[in-house]
């Protein structure tokens, strides 16, 4: 049995983000990937909790895909986490829905790697800003190996951009047949900012 | 002297209109005002009206109506809850006051029979004065008011056995109280008891099964005055029935009121009868005022004063002790005691009976009538003393205590929803899911019936009327929702509420720009054009069908909503200054034109949002030198 992948995607102005459009188009070609485009589904933030939980239960790998806004996700992503990741379902004594699942973030940032270094304007590396997501996965007893990232989207050239998009496709393929009972197997760890646990 | 009907009406009405507002302005209360007005126009001063028994008779109908209304305020449940204070407090008050007054009378040289009769008659207080005064001061919701009401209720019931006992005290047999039907008088006591019970049962049956369908039928005829006629017929019929079986008409009306307390027509009945009741009660007090004979008073001043003083003292002592025993706090007990210390209007009725029975001599009756009238006139003054002299001294916890007991007694809801059409019923249902029970009023009797079938508490009535608003609890509510279909009704309700209940927050539906403008200009700020949200929602979905992102369309709609709100408020102000106010059609086209122009100019609709990347992208090129 190969892994089913669920992408929880949030972007308030998706129509203006070329890079996210390319990433989503790439993901859409894989029949084992389900995309939840939250801003399209819930423009009024009224999330269908039952439906979202059902989708999560069906998947083996979940990807939280969004641009990095103010060092975090767009607000609907947080709303999704607040409403869907219920106590007794996602975490807590009887909350096993996410147990042993694989969770990754897929992030796009306008600034480049330099901007996210201790010499850059954002000072901290992206992985530091993703700490709340990493810990969320941990509390839900899921395995969070790291994040896929495409940076410098404000002025990325077409070649590096297309390369990144292809890499996302490759990552999705590898996740489709990956194993993670002890460490992550079957995935090129360079594609994700791998965290040694 | 002229005595035509019109002249009489002129005198009574102008006395009321001139003197009562003056008395109220002076803080004396309307009851004292009516009494004074009666005194002025009566034989003692101007002599424009005689001491007219006929007028008194008509006026007593006001007392009947008052008890009907009181009954309607009381659901059987409430009545059952009050049983201890009605029987305990009320019973003890009547018995103890009677004993005290009888003893005093006996020592004043009356025979034991006369003394007993006086005791029974003078133990009763004045339902009309007490309830009117208490509700004017807002004390009827306090525990003192509740207790006073229980006592009055018991007294009203006690009139029946008193009427039965009085004839037994003399050997002379006359046509008892003189009102009953002949065939009722000629039967033996057990049969009589059965007839009385049957009459009461009949009132219950009429109230429960006949009045509702009858009123519904009348309402469908669409004639307002017929509804009023039916209300009056109901009360007159019951009063007549009660008289036939020698019961107090007031008590019968009270019973009918209790039966109808749960009716959907309750508020409408109340608002129809309320003004009539007020008028007739006013007439009643006028008559009492007119019956005060100043000459007799001055001739027997000492005698009268002695009796008033003694009787009031006896009542005060009895009431105060009972209040203490029944757990009233000191300030409440003072209100309770002083409000009930007078003699009541039933005394006039009962004196007539004792006169016929020759149980009391005419001189005694004359003296006692003066005593009763004076003690009634003194009640508002006693209450003024209580309010301004006593309560400030003992009422340490008055504010808190008042608040709590007000909540306790308060059966009103904080929210009134007017209109149960598509808009109103959604609000009602929604609020109910959140546990907010609202007072709901609707003027479509078929709908009222339907909603009630599904367990909603809906009252039938015309919400544009002041008295119905009052009956629906507008004085104590916080929010009123105007959700009627008729835009005219919404506007007239809003005007009435703004004028008489300015503390109420009005939340209003609006179906047209005209209504919105007028509501805004009335100072109603919570105006909800019901078409706006649905139209915008359609707009959002259409955008989506055209391939736009749903969230962006949604944000645009949100912005458009703000823009529209701003625009409509702007146009409303313009509308107020516009000289062509009435050229509605032309104005509407102007509005549309202005709206379209504003749509293209409002920066709110044009500016992009913070997450638009264009600006940052441009700025970012300056960071390029740092690229590795």
């Amino acid at each position: 049995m190969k892994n089913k992948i669920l992408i929880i995607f949030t972007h308030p102005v998706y129509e203006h983000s070329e890079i996210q459009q390319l990433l989503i188009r790439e993901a859409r070609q894989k029949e084992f990937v389900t995309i939840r485009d939250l801003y399209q589904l819930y423009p009024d933030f009224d999330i269908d909790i039952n439906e979202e939980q059902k989708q999560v239960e069906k998947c083996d790998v979940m990807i939280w895909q969004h641009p990095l806004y103010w060092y975090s996700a767009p607000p609907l992503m947080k709303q999704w986490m607040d409403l869907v990741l219920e106590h007794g379902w996602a975490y807590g004594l009887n909350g096993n829905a996410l147990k042993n699942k694989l969770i990754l973030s897929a992030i796009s940032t306008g600034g480049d790697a330099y901007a996210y270094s201790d010499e850059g304007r954002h000072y901290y590396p992206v992985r530091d800003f993703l700490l709340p997501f990493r810990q969320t996965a941990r509390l839900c007893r899921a395995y969070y190996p790291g994040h896929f990232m495409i940076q410098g989207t404000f002025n990325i050239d077409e070649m590096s951009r297309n390369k990144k998009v292809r890499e996302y496709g490759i990552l999705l393929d590898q996740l489709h047949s990956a194993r993670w009972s002890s460490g992550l197997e079957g995935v090129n760890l360079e594609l994700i900012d791998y965290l040694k646990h | 002297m002229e005595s035509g009907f019109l002249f009489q009406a002129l005198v009574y009405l102008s006395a009321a209109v001139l003197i009562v507002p003056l008395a109220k302005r002076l803080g004396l209360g309307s009851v004292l005002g009516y009494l004074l007005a009666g005194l002025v126009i009566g034989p003692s001063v101007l002599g424009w009206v005689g001491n007219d028994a006929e007028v008194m008779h008509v006026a007593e109908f006001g007392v009947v109506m008052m008890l009907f209304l009181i009954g309607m305020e009381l659901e059987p449940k409430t009545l059952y809850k009050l049983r201890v204070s009605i029987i305990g407090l009320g019973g003890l008050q009547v018995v103890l006051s009677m004993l005290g007054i009888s003893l005093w009378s006996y020592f004043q040289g009356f025979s034991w029979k006369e003394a007993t009769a006086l005791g029974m008659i003078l133990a009763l207080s004045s339902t009309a004065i007490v309830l009117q005064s208490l509700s004017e001061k807002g004390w009827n919701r306090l525990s003192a008011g509740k207790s006073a009401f229980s006592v009055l209720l018991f007294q009203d019931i006690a009139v029946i056995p008193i009427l039965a006992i009085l004839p037994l005290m003399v050997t002379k047999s006359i046509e008892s109280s003189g009102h009953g039907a002949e065939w009722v008088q000629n039967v033996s006591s057990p049969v009589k008891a059965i007839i009385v019970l049957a009459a009461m049962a009949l009132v219950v049956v009429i109230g429960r099964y006949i009045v509702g369908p009858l009123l519904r039928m009348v309402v469908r005829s669409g004639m307002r005055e017929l509804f009023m006629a039916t209300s009056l017929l109901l009360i007159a019929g019951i009063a007549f029935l009660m008289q036939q079986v020698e019961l107090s008409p007031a008590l019968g009306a009270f019973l009918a009121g209790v039966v109808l307390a749960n009716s959907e027509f309750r508020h409408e009945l109340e608002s129809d009868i309320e003004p009539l009741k007020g008028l007739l009660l006013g007439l009643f007090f006028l008559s009492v005022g007119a019956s005060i004979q100043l000459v007799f008073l001055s001739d027997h001043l000492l005698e009268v004063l002695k009796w008033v003083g003694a009787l009031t003292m006896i009542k005060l002592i009895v009431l105060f002790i009972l209040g203490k025993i029944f757990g009233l706090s000191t300030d409440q007990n003072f209100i309770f005691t002083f409000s009930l210390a007078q003699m009541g209007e039933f005394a006039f009725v009962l004196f007539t009976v004792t006169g016929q029975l020759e149980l009391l001599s005419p001189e005694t009756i004359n003296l006692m009538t003066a005593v009763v009238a004076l003690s009634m006139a003194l009640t508002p003054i006693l209450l003024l003393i209580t309010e301004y002299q006593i309560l400030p001294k003992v009422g340490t916890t008055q504010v808190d205590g008042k608040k709590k007991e007000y909540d306790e007694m308060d059966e009103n809801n904080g929210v009134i929803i007017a209109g149960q059409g598509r808009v109103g019923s959604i609000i009602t249902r929604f609020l109910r899911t959140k546990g907010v029970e609202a007072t709901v009023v609707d003027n479509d009797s078929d709908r009222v019936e339907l909603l009630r079938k599904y367990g909603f508490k809906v009252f039938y009535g015309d919400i544009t009327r002041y008295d119905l608003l009052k009956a629906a609890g507008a004085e104590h509510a916080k929010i009123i929702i105007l959700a009627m279909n008729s835009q005219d009704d919404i506007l007239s309700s809003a005007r009435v509420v703004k004028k008489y209940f300015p503390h109420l927050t009005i939340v209003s539906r609006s179906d047209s720009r005209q209504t919105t403008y007028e509501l805004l200009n009335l100072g109603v700020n919570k105006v909800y054009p019901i078409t706006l949200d649905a139209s915008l929602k359609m707009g959002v979905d259409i955008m989506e069908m055209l391939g736009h992102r749903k969230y962006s369309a949604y944000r645009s709609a949100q912005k458009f909503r703000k823009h529209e709100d701003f625009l409509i408020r702007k146009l409303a102000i313009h509308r107020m200054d516009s000289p062509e106010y009435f050229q509605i059609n032309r104005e509407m086209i102007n509005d549309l034109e202005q709206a379209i122009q504003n749509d293209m100019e409002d920066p709110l609709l044009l500016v992009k949002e913070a997450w638009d990347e264009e600006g940052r992208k441009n700025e970012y090129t300056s960071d390029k030198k740092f690229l590795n």
Side-chain angles (χ1 to χ4, degrees):
Chain A
M1 268 296 271
K2 293 203 166 181
N3 303 317
K4 288 195 207 92
I5 299 176
L6 176 70
I7 296 179
I8 304 297
F9 173 62
T10 48
H11 200 307
V13 280
Y14 173 68
E15 63 269 50
H16 296 148
S17 169
E18 272 174 71
I19 186 69
Q20 288 287 357
Q21 287 171 25
L22 291 173
L23 291 177
I24 288 294
R25 197 177 304 159
E26 186 71 18
R28 240 182 222 135
Q29 286 164 11
K30 324 278 181 194
E31 81 287 354
F32 51 84
V33 171
T34 307
I35 300 170
R36 300 295 289 171
D37 182 353
L38 296 189
Y39 272 95
Q40 185 73 355
L41 289 165
Y42 312 115
D44 53 2
F45 280 47
D46 183 15
I47 290 170
D48 183 342
I49 297 165
N50 274 336
E51 178 60 27
E52 292 303 314
Q53 290 183 346
K54 239 184 272 166
Q55 295 289 345
V56 171
E57 279 163 9
K58 276 194 289 189
C59 80
D60 307 293
V61 179
M62 175 156 58
I63 298 175
W64 293 332
Q65 181 181 338
H66 54 83
L68 202 64
Y69 282 173
W70 280 116
Y71 314 114
S72 185
L76 189 49
M77 181 69 218
K78 180 63 162 56
Q79 175 90 334
W80 184 92
M81 293 167 83
D82 289 354
L83 293 179
V84 178
L85 303 182
E86 285 174 329
H87 177 259
W89 180 81
Y91 68 104
L93 212 55
N94 302 312
N96 298 320
L98 296 168
K99 195 176 174 184
N100 299 330
K101 287 191 200 293
L102 191 67
I103 299 179
L104 298 91
S105 293
I107 305 299
S108 65
T109 67
D112 52 32
Y114 179 79
Y116 286 90
S117 71
D118 56 9
E119 284 175 50
R121 55 163 71 178
H122 302 306
Y123 194 73
Y124 299 99
V126 170
R127 69 157 66 178
D128 284 12
F129 297 123
L130 293 178
L131 184 62
F133 300 93
R134 185 173 152 195
Q135 171 56 22
T136 300
R138 188 170 169 271
L139 188 71
C140 299
R141 284 170 287 176
Y143 180 42
Y144 184 91
H147 61 274
F148 173 85
M149 180 164 56
I150 177 159
Q151 289 199 287
T153 59
F154 284 162
N155 52 357
I156 197 167
D157 61 87
E158 210 173 312
M159 251 189 35
S160 11
R161 189 183 69 187
N162 292 345
K163 184 175 165 251
K164 263 302 188 189
V165 172
R166 269 199 311 281
E167 282 177 8
Y168 193 47
I170 293 167
L171 175 64
L172 292 174
D173 286 335
Q174 291 180 351
L175 287 170
H176 183 45
S177 47
R179 305 178 156 274
W180 55 89
S181 45
S182 54
L184 185 57
E185 292 169 33
V187 174
N188 176 6
L189 297 185
E190 281 172 16
L191 293 179
I192 56 175
D193 187 15
Y194 181 64
L195 298 157
K196 292 182 192 78
H197 284 261
Chain B
M1 170 168 147
E2 293 182 63
S3 57
F5 167 73
L6 281 179
F7 178 76
Q8 290 263 322
L10 199 68
V11 169
Y12 278 113
L13 289 174
S14 43
V17 170
L18 291 179
I19 300 178
V20 175
L22 202 68
K24 274 205 90 169
R25 175 70 49 97
L26 293 173
L28 300 175
S30 70
V31 174
L32 198 52
Y34 279 117
L35 289 173
L36 274 177
L39 185 64
V40 170
I41 58 173
S44 301
V45 182
L46 294 175
W48 285 350
V49 294
N51 194 352
D52 200 335
E54 273 301 303
V55 173
M56 192 77 163
H57 228 70
V58 174
E60 271 166 22
F61 206 53
V63 181
V64 174
M65 285 182 173
M66 182 176 65
L67 271 143
F68 179 72
L69 291 175
I70 295 166
M72 254 191 322
E73 295 283 333
L74 275 182
E75 300 178 21
K77 232 178 16 203
T78 324
L79 208 57
Y80 187 72
K81 252 192 343 213
L82 286 176
R83 67 193 187 282
V84 173
S85 59
I86 293 175
I87 296 170
L89 189 57
L92 282 174
Q93 187 274 333
V94 171
V95 170
L96 292 180
S97 303
M98 191 194 117
L99 283 178
I101 294 168
S102 299
L103 271 177
W104 156 264
S105 309
Y106 185 71
F107 287 120
Q108 289 298 308
F110 286 102
S111 72
W112 71 266
K113 271 188 185 177
E114 288 173 313
T116 312
L118 283 174
M120 286 193 292
I121 295 170
L122 298 174
L124 306 178
S125 316
S126 168
T127 309
I129 289 185
V130 177
L131 290 184
Q132 184 94 349
S133 307
L134 287 181
S135 84
E136 250 172 47
K137 293 186 190 298
W139 288 350
N140 52 335
R141 292 172 181 279
L142 303 181
S143 60
K146 266 194 286 186
S147 305
F149 177 75
S150 304
V151 171
L152 292 169
L153 202 58
F154 185 87
Q155 292 179 354
D156 289 343
I157 300 167
V159 172
I160 304 156
I162 292 176
L163 275 172
I165 291 168
L166 286 178
L168 300 179
M169 293 170 62
V170 286
T171 40
K172 182 176 187 280
S173 139
I174 57 145
E175 64 294 12
S176 61
S177 67
H179 293 303
E182 221 167 293
W183 62 274
V184 178
Q185 286 169 20
N186 291 336
V187 296
S188 59
S189 304
V191 181
K192 209 175 201 168
I194 291 170
I195 293 174
V196 166
L197 284 178
M200 306 255 277
L202 185 62
V203 170
V204 174
V205 169
I206 290 173
R208 185 142 294 174
Y209 300 108
I210 298 179
V211 175
L214 182 69
L215 286 178
R216 244 166 258 146
M217 197 183 77
V218 169
V219 162
R220 274 200 208 98
S221 78
M223 291 161 74
R224 268 212 58 85
E225 70 275 17
L226 259 191
F227 192 94
M228 196 157 193
T230 318
S231 322
L232 283 178
L233 172 68
L234 178 70
I235 295 174
I238 286 163
F240 178 74
L241 176 70
M242 288 293 122
Q243 232 170 40
Q244 292 302 298
V245 299
E246 298 181 347
L247 282 184
S248 145
L251 190 72
F254 174 77
L255 186 62
V258 172
V259 174
L260 286 171
N262 286 322
S263 158
E264 76 254 41
F265 294 106
R266 173 180 146 191
H267 283 179
E268 185 74 348
L269 280 170
E270 270 176 8
S271 59
D272 261 355
I273 295 171
E274 182 76 41
L276 263 178
K277 175 214 85 174
L279 265 182
L280 287 176
L281 268 189
L283 191 59
F284 176 78
F285 295 131
L286 281 172
S287 321
V288 173
S291 74
I292 299 174
Q293 294 167 324
L294 280 186
V295 184
F296 183 85
L297 260 183
S298 61
D299 286 355
H300 300 76
L301 189 60
L302 281 181
E303 185 79 357
V304 170
L305 284 182
K306 184 181 79 183
W307 273 87
V308 170
L311 295 178
T312 309
M313 265 334 274
I314 292 169
K315 287 201 169 194
L316 284 176
I317 292 166
V318 168
L319 287 165
F320 197 81
I321 293 170
L322 285 178
K324 202 95 202 150
I325 294 172
F326 279 80
L328 288 174
S329 64
T330 311
D331 53 340
Q332 295 292 322
N333 199 5
F334 272 109
I335 296 176
F336 170 72
T337 302
F338 279 90
S339 65
L340 289 171
Q342 79 295 99
M343 272 54 79
E345 60 274 2
F346 279 120
F348 301 123
V349 181
L350 294 172
F351 281 140
T352 326
V353 177
T354 50
Q356 288 165 346
L357 292 167
E358 291 171 17
L359 191 59
L360 294 173
S361 69
E363 294 78 40
T364 309
I365 290 175
N366 222 340
L367 173 73
M368 289 305 154
T369 306
V371 169
V372 171
L374 189 63
S375 85
M376 283 166 87
L378 284 176
T379 304
I381 298 170
L382 273 182
L383 287 177
L384 281 179
I385 294 172
T386 312
E387 188 175 5
Y388 293 108
Q389 296 297 318
I390 298 176
L391 286 187
K393 286 174 192 137
V394 298
T396 41
T397 58
Q398 198 193 0
V399 174
D400 287 336
K402 221 173 194 170
K403 188 141 191 92
K404 196 177 134 257
E405 295 180 40
Y406 159 76
D407 283 339
E408 226 173 60
M409 234 337 232
D410 192 20
E411 46 174 326
N412 296 319
N413 296 304
V415 181
I416 300 171
I417 302 178
Q420 283 299 296
R422 293 158 300 155
V423 179
S425 56
I426 290 173
I427 300 171
T428 311
R429 279 166 50 213
F430 172 65
L431 291 182
R432 200 154 88 144
T433 60
K434 299 270 93 186
V436 180
E437 286 290 341
T439 300
V440 170
V441 188
D442 194 71
N443 63 356
D444 178 337
S445 65
D446 289 335
R447 190 157 59 212
V448 168
E449 218 174 312
L450 175 90
L451 286 168
R452 283 171 64 87
K453 217 159 50 188
Y454 288 95
F456 287 88
K457 203 169 183 187
V458 189
F459 292 105
Y460 173 79
D462 177 2
I463 199 72
T464 62
R465 290 172 49 159
Y466 162 79
D467 35 14
L468 188 107
L469 279 165
K470 203 174 158 190
E475 280 173 308
H476 307 290
K478 291 189 193 73
I479 301 170
I480 183 163
I481 297 151
L482 303 178
M484 300 88 93
N485 289 321
S486 156
Q487 302 298 292
D488 289 341
D489 283 359
I490 285 180
L491 287 172
S492 31
S493 285
R495 281 190 201 104
V496 172
V497 171
K498 273 279 166 198
K499 188 163 174 198
Y500 296 104
F501 308 102
H503 69 281
L504 266 183
T505 302
I506 302 176
V507 174
S508 182
R509 150 191 183 176
S510 162
D511 292 24
S512 76
R513 276 178 172 268
Q514 299 308 120
T515 314
T516 307
Y517 292 148
E518 295 197 33
L519 284 170
L520 287 172
N521 288 333
L522 278 173
V524 178
N525 283 315
K526 302 271 175 212
V527 183
Y528 296 83
I530 55 160
T531 44
L532 182 59
D533 280 322
S535 311
L536 286 177
K537 223 171 167 169
M538 285 166 78
V540 170
D541 284 351
I542 292 162
M543 295 275 282
E544 190 202 358
M545 289 175 217
L546 292 173
H548 290 265
R549 288 285 292 177
K550 193 144 185 193
Y551 184 66
S552 300
Y554 183 77
R555 280 292 296 154
S556 304
Q558 285 180 324
K559 286 192 275 182
F560 189 90
R561 211 197 175 298
K562 276 206 193 88
H563 158 77
E564 177 73 9
D565 190 58
F566 168 79
L567 185 64
I568 212 156
R569 275 162 208 274
K570 188 172 127 190
L571 292 180
I573 296 165
H574 157 80
R575 165 60 54 95
M576 222 168 23
D577 310 328
S578 167
E580 314 101 79
Y581 185 83
F582 293 104
Q583 300 181 9
I584 288 168
N585 261 329
R586 183 65 213 140
E587 282 288 317
M588 276 174 75
I589 290 170
N590 277 343
D591 282 353
L592 189 58
E593 214 177 312
Q594 286 206 34
I596 293 168
Q597 277 171 11
N598 274 275
D599 291 349
M600 318 223 265
E601 288 160 7
D602 190 347
L604 178 73
L605 297 183
L606 301 175
V607 164
K608 293 190 173 157
E609 312 231 34
W611 51 55
D612 182 66
E613 291 179 351
E614 222 44 56
R616 278 179 295 145
K617 256 182 196 165
N618 295 338
E619 196 182 292
Y620 197 75
T621 48
S622 57
D623 277 4
K624 204 171 180 183
K625 55 181 183 278
F626 295 115
L627 270 175
N628 38 352

